[in-house]
Amino acid sequence: MPFFQSPPVLPDTWVSDVPLQEHLERLLPVDMLAGVRPQLAELGRLAATTLHDLAAEAERDQPRHIPFDAWGRRSDQIAVSPAWEELHTWQVRLGLCAVPYDTEATGYKEHARVVQMALHHLYGPSSATYTCPVAMTDAAARVLLDHADVPLRDRVVARLTSRDPDAAWTSGQWMTEREGGSDVSRTATIARQGANGSWTLHGTKWFTSATTANCALALARPEGAESGSRGLALFLVERIDPRTGESQIGDTIRINRLKDKLGTKSMPTAELTLDGAFATPVGPVEHGVRKISGMLNITRFHNAMGASGGMRRGVELAVAYSRVREATGSRLIDLPLHTETLAAMSVDAEAAFALTVRVAHLIGRAEHGTATDAEQQSLRALIPVTKLLTGKDAVALASEALEAFGGAGYIEDTGLPLLLRNAQVLPIWEGTTNVLSLDLLRAATRNAVLPALFEDLAARLGDADVVALAESVRLVAAERDRLMSDAQGWHAADTAVVQAGMRQFAIRLGRAYTAALLCEHAAYRLAKHDDDRAALVARRYVRSRLAGAAEWSRPDPAESAAILMRGHAQPQGS
Ligand code: UCC
């Protein structure tokens, strides 16, 4: 018999994901978790079966631009895979964009974002990045609720947050232009007001993701407004002109071409020309950047959810393979160095989850008016930190996951290279690592948010005051002190030096805060369940990821095996 390698079998992603279950048990009220658990259990099964297959099909059957109809009329249709459309239907039914808003009906209230994250964590890695339109739709609902006039808000938000697949809309986000990506102050699109008071947009948008969306929030400069970002206003552009019921696509919105991207290939991203597209101002025609920054904060949170879910998927697949692949007479999972590698990946994935779910918890509180001022300040700093850290870690982990398959990880029809291609966008879109590092600096200097974050970190550590974590807590506290001292030195330092150091500062801050969260969670598990799995994870994270802790690090095969086996439950019967 010739040898054929058994492929890895993706397990039920809810049953397998012990960290997800444990963090939810700590963060959600008992009754609420009991209510949502059947949906999560069903979704875990679907993510490994139906959704997984739909995602693979959507990745194969990529969008096509059809510029003209058979008779030569400009039509600018984008043909997408039926599987992509089904993934839309699934996310609507799951309520991915509804959960944060229909919180009185569900009773989730300030916990809604944590529930949303649990759903996203399971759906996202099997969605062929349908999570991108989900992110922008959720974020558009947030901005319209916060800033739009009542008629626009009432007409559109109900669509964006609908649980009915026939009624639900998606939204895009049209910011980036040839002149400016990160620097939106160079936006060249003009908004012109007609004699009847209505507005039209004129210009080119260079990246528009999920271009088949029903509407998009777009930045434009009203004619005569000042240059720079202060002169920009925010508009909602609808694919169907609400005054006439006619499509604007192929007419006042022309699709120049689809982008040929490294990844996210199932999702159409286009260059557009706006040639008199009807648009509705979002509130007064001013402060467009301030308004759209509310959108960015939500999409950056989604980016982190995507990173965290993708990291877990990479580990799941690598672990599944290690159970069926043999080398030198052993299964890979039984080889000490491979176990060590998989355990490190597992710890990084759980760390990304812990950090992002903390942001979910704080956004939920902020949206429901229960966050303190200090929590809001902490959140302002945490969003850029979380986005940049998880984005970078997601790429590193995806690369490691491919490597765990050896040559098979480099071969397209295994489906594995997708993991890396789709991860690589995470540190780029919604603000690169450097842009977000400088956003943190701006929030720290303009809004003085760091003291609140340092206090918050100290409070997490305060909850972890147990013997089993004493050395980890000491190391995290020492790193916090160093970070505080570094930040205190900024006012006397050369601006260029401070800016040049911001990426390193932001990453160190993210790691220290994450370590504190893992310690807090570990202490809870020890106290409530006499379970030390999370303590092993917290200690390993501190040893491997915290500056100044390297000398404490030494291989511990038994610990690595425990982290791995106890963090990945095997479904019964397998
Ligand atoms: O569109 C894209 C792809 C879409 C796909 C998304 C899917 C993601 C989820 C995936 C799931 C798997 S990519 C396009 C991405 N573009 C960016 O991210 C832009 C990056 N640039 C920035 O972030 C900049 O910092 C800006 C544009 C936000 C601001 O730059 P400016 O022009 O220098 O403006 P200012 O002066 O810094 O900010 C203007 C105002 C200020 O308030 P006021 O007017 O009161 O002084 C700021 O305090 O906006 C406020 N502001 C903020 N407020 C700026 N940033 C923030 C913030 N993050 N939070 C709160």
Side-chain angles (χ1 to χ4, degrees), residues 131-132 135-136 173 175-176 181-182 184 209 229-230 289-290 293 296-297 299-300 302-303 306 380 426 429-431 435 439 442 446:
T131 43
C132 170
M136 295 188 291
Q173 167 187 307
M175 297 175 71
T176 308
S182 300
V184 300
S209 288
S229 59
R230 285 194 164 276
V289 175
R290 190 192 299 166
S293 67
L296 292 174
N297 285 335
T299 52
R300 286 169 183 171
H302 275 260
N303 204 85
R380 174 67 185 90
L426 296 167
W429 65 9
E430 296 312 302
V435 165
D439 182 53
R442 195 172 26 207
R446 279 194 204 166

Side-chain angles (χ1 to χ4, degrees), residues 4 62 96 99 103 131 232 235 260 318 366 387 452 503 513 522 561 573:
F4 293 104
Q62 292 169 13
L96 278 177
V99 164
T103 61
T131 43
L232 296 173
F235 294 85
D260 185 7
K387 194 280 188 185
R503 176 195 279 237
Y513 189 84

Side-chain angles (χ1 to χ4, degrees), residues 144 152 156 171 215-218 234-238 278-282:
L144 293 175
L152 180 65
V156 176
S171 176
C215 61
L217 285 174
L234 188 61
F235 294 85
L236 185 82
V237 186
E238 294 168 65
F278 172 77
T280 311
V282 178

Side-chain angles (χ1 to χ4, degrees), residues 262-398:
L262 173 67
T264 66
K265 286 173 180 282
S266 52
M267 178 190 62
T269 299
E271 294 170 26
L272 300 180
T273 295
L274 304 174
D275 187 10
F278 172 77
T280 311
V282 178
V285 280
E286 59 186 4
H287 299 308
V289 175
R290 190 192 299 166
K291 288 175 194 164
I292 209 165
S293 67
M295 180 165 207
L296 292 174
N297 285 335
I298 295 294
T299 52
R300 286 169 183 171
F301 161 58
H302 275 260
N303 204 85
M305 290 197 287
S308 158
M311 287 170 78
R312 178 69 195 187
R313 174 60 54 88
V315 187
E316 290 282 14
L317 288 168
V319 170
Y321 189 59
S322 76
R323 294 191 202 276
V324 295
R325 175 73 175 170
E326 291 185 4
T328 62
S330 301
R331 293 185 311 161
L332 295 185
I333 200 165
D334 298 321
L335 295 172
L337 182 52
H338 201 68
T339 306
E340 185 72 14
T341 306
L342 295 176
M345 292 163 68
S346 204
V347 167
D348 283 344
E350 183 165 348
F353 185 87
L355 179 59
T356 309
V357 83
R358 172 72 182 162
V359 171
H361 172 80
L362 291 174
I363 295 178
R365 284 176 62 76
E367 288 180 329
H368 285 79
T370 50
T372 62
D373 287 350
E375 282 177 324
Q376 299 202 40
Q377 288 176 340
S378 196
L379 179 61
R380 174 67 185 90
L382 272 180
I383 287 177
V385 167
T386 302
K387 194 280 188 185
L388 74 86
L389 187 61
T390 57
K392 279 298 201 200
D393 282 351
V395 178
L397 191 139

Side-chain angles (χ1 to χ4, degrees), residues 23 26-27 350-359 361-362 382 386 456-457 460-461 463-464 476 510-524 534 538 541:
H23 283 270
R26 180 172 56 85
L27 290 167
E350 183 165 348
F353 185 87
L355 179 59
T356 309
V357 83
R358 172 72 182 162
V359 171
H361 172 80
L362 291 174
L382 272 180
T386 302
D456 180 5
L457 193 162
R460 309 296 115 230
L461 282 184
D463 287 345
V476 181
R511 297 238 182 269
Y513 189 84
T514 304
L517 290 169
L518 290 173
C519 288
E520 181 187 40
H521 179 64
Y524 171 87
Y541 187 80

Side-chain angles (χ1 to χ4, degrees), residues 74 83-84 96 112 122 216 245 353 371 379 405 415 486 544:
R74 185 102 200 179
W84 176 253
L96 278 177
L122 298 171
F353 185 87
L379 179 61
F405 283 83
D486 289 352
S544 62

